[in-house]
Amino acid sequence: MGIRIIKGGMFTTVQDLGRTGCQDQGFHVCGVMDRRSFRIANLLLDNPENEAVLECTLIGPVIEFTSEMIIAIAGGDFRPKINDQPVPMYQALYVRKGDVLKLSSAVTGRTCYIAFSNYLQIPVVMGSRSTDTMSGIGGFKGRKLEDGDYIEERIKRRKYLPWFLSRKLDLHEFEEGRKTIRVIMGPQDHMFSYQGISSFLNGEYTVTGNFDRMGMRLEGPFIESRSGSDIISDGICAGAIQVPDHGKPIIMLADRQTTGGYAKIAAVASADLPKLVQSRISDRIHFRKISVEQAQSLIMQEQTEFQQMRDRIHQPCREVLDVRLTAKRMDRLFDGQ
């Protein structure tokens, strides 16, 4: 029992929050590109926050279900259909054995995430189920999903109450083609001239076709260095913005290398990475400088937002449960009379 991949899509992989704590051994972190959408998909199903999902890029897969379960789809709009009937994003969806889910090409955003109530039977490798395609480890056989692959379910979740399918969020994201991305300057911003930093913060950059899970190349104003941008290789965090001698920024993403030898002018604030990675070719990017303390505040705001989402999702269930409990109390009262 599980899911059968009829068509693998352009680039569909199993991902979670990534393989942390192994960069000193040369292993990529990997994990989902858009942590926000990933968390929302699991939240809709009341899954553990780090439960593995399918990440779909640009053109989605076609999936047959070999057992009943609940799924949720979040992120870019891939126009999902079940048995050729359109179904909503950001909502718990019941699927029966034999149902077929089809995701088309993305209308908004770049990636979407499919979460499963029955979980995917994917082994944990070095603390994570995420796929590292460059090393060939993790996920499903260390690679993207292909036509004919079959993934078993890991558990058989409890039968859901009828009102569970009211779990939904009214979200319409990733529709803007012009984005302001907040960044923390450094650690090598001192290697760039005043004019170079001004170009970086005041110029407009365009997303190019050189964009994958490893990184994103931007086209725009030349970023001038003081005397070259080569450094002794050091560690690279998610969202680090390298500027080689050609003067154009490269933003390092989920499958980034562990170290790099180009100066990093800044790093994207964690809260803005989901918006950045959902960009499409020719989208326009503006960078805005913020402090570390402001970036930390954004993370706190994000946690508050997730709690508000959790409350909105649970509210319909609470209301129905309250009505049923009240009805039972009334029944007992009349029975007593």
Side-chain angles (χ1 to χ4, degrees):
M1 297 296 191
I3 60 173
R4 177 175 290 105
I5 308 301
I6 298 174
K7 292 184 179 179
M10 178 175 285
F11 196 88
T12 305
T13 56
V14 177
Q15 299 291 347
D16 57 17
L17 288 175
R19 191 164 284 104
T20 57
C22 303
Q23 281 184 278
D24 61 334
Q25 301 170 55
F27 289 96
H28 311 93
V29 174
C30 302
V32 293
M33 292 275 276
D34 175 359
R35 292 190 170 207
R36 173 184 166 83
S37 297
F38 162 74
R39 291 180 65 188
I40 291 173
N42 276 324
L43 183 64
L44 285 162
L45 300 185
D46 203 22
N47 282 354
E49 186 175 87
N50 194 29
E51 185 54 47
V53 301
L54 295 188
E55 179 183 86
C56 315
T57 304
L58 292 177
I59 300 175
V62 179
I63 299 171
E64 178 187 2
F65 297 91
T66 60
S67 63
E68 64 174 2
M69 64 182 76
I70 310 289
I71 65 170
I73 308 168
D77 184 0
F78 280 59
R79 299 173 291 173
K81 294 181 179 180
I82 294 178
N83 300 331
D84 293 324
Q85 296 299 313
V87 293
M89 304 277 295
Y90 296 100
Q91 181 171 334
L93 303 168
Y94 175 70
V95 293
R96 297 175 175 83
K97 180 179 179 180
D99 282 353
V100 174
L101 170 68
K102 179 180 180 181
L103 299 185
S104 301
S105 57
V107 177
T108 62
R110 180 181 175 88
T111 62
C112 78
Y113 299 87
I114 311 172
F116 304 86
S117 64
N118 293 5
Y119 310 162
L120 300 176
Q121 183 64 274
I122 299 293
V124 175
V125 179
M126 299 169 68
S128 172
R129 292 185 169 89
S130 62
T131 309
D132 183 344
T133 57
M134 287 180 283
S135 300
I137 63 171
F140 184 82
K141 300 182 179 180
R143 59 168 172 79
K144 68 176 184 177
L145 297 185
E146 298 175 354
D147 301 357
D149 286 342
Y150 183 78
I151 305 177
E152 295 184 356
E153 61 189 26
R154 196 163 82 249
I155 65 168
K156 188 70 175 178
R157 287 287 288 275
R158 63 190 181 278
K159 294 288 186 181
Y160 283 95
L161 299 173
W163 58 85
F164 188 87
L165 297 181
S166 65
R167 297 171 66 95
K168 59 184 177 180
L169 292 168
D170 185 18
L171 296 177
H172 303 278
E173 304 190 301
F174 318 122
E175 295 178 350
E176 295 182 0
R178 185 175 183 179
K179 302 170 180 163
T180 297
I181 300 298
R182 291 163 289 195
V183 299
I184 302 97
M185 300 302 292
Q188 287 99 26
D189 53 320
H190 61 277
M191 295 183 63
F192 299 91
S193 68
Y194 173 83
Q195 181 59 46
I197 291 176
S198 178
S199 296
F200 173 71
L201 293 175
N202 298 315
E204 179 177 88
Y205 291 87
T206 303
V207 178
T208 71
N210 291 321
F211 179 7
D212 57 21
R213 282 182 49 85
M214 186 173 181
M216 169 194 295
R217 289 178 180 265
L218 303 179
E219 187 60 48
F222 177 79
I223 300 173
E224 180 184 72
S225 65
R226 294 183 183 276
S227 56
S229 60
D230 290 346
I231 62 170
I232 297 174
S233 292
D234 63 4
I236 298 178
C237 67
I241 306 176
Q242 291 185 323
V243 183
D245 287 337
H246 57 57
K248 303 299 173 66
I250 303 174
I251 306 178
M252 310 312 296
L253 303 175
D255 287 0
R256 65 195 179 276
Q257 67 269 33
T258 57
T259 63
Y262 296 125
K264 296 171 285 295
I265 194 170
V268 176
S270 297
D272 279 359
L273 274 172
K275 178 169 59 173
L276 176 74
V277 299
Q278 290 285 4
S279 298
R280 299 167 67 89
I281 295 173
S282 298
D283 278 2
R284 293 168 292 170
I285 304 291
H286 291 263
F287 296 108
R288 181 161 68 85
K289 174 184 174 181
I290 63 171
S291 66
V292 171
E293 291 75 19
Q294 287 172 312
Q296 292 170 336
S297 178
L298 292 174
I299 293 295
M300 298 297 291
Q301 292 173 25
E302 187 179 67
Q303 294 304 315
T304 300
E305 182 187 12
F306 271 100
Q307 185 57 53
Q308 292 170 346
M309 287 184 190
R310 188 175 288 107
D311 291 341
R312 291 203 302 273
I313 289 170
H314 289 167
Q315 187 59 35
C317 298
R318 292 194 190 103
E319 291 173 354
V320 174
L321 189 59
D322 287 344
V323 169
R324 295 202 172 195
L325 288 174
T326 301
K328 284 185 177 181
R329 292 190 189 102
M330 294 298 292
D331 289 342
R332 291 192 188 112
L333 178 63
F334 287 117
D335 287 344
Q337 292 178 343

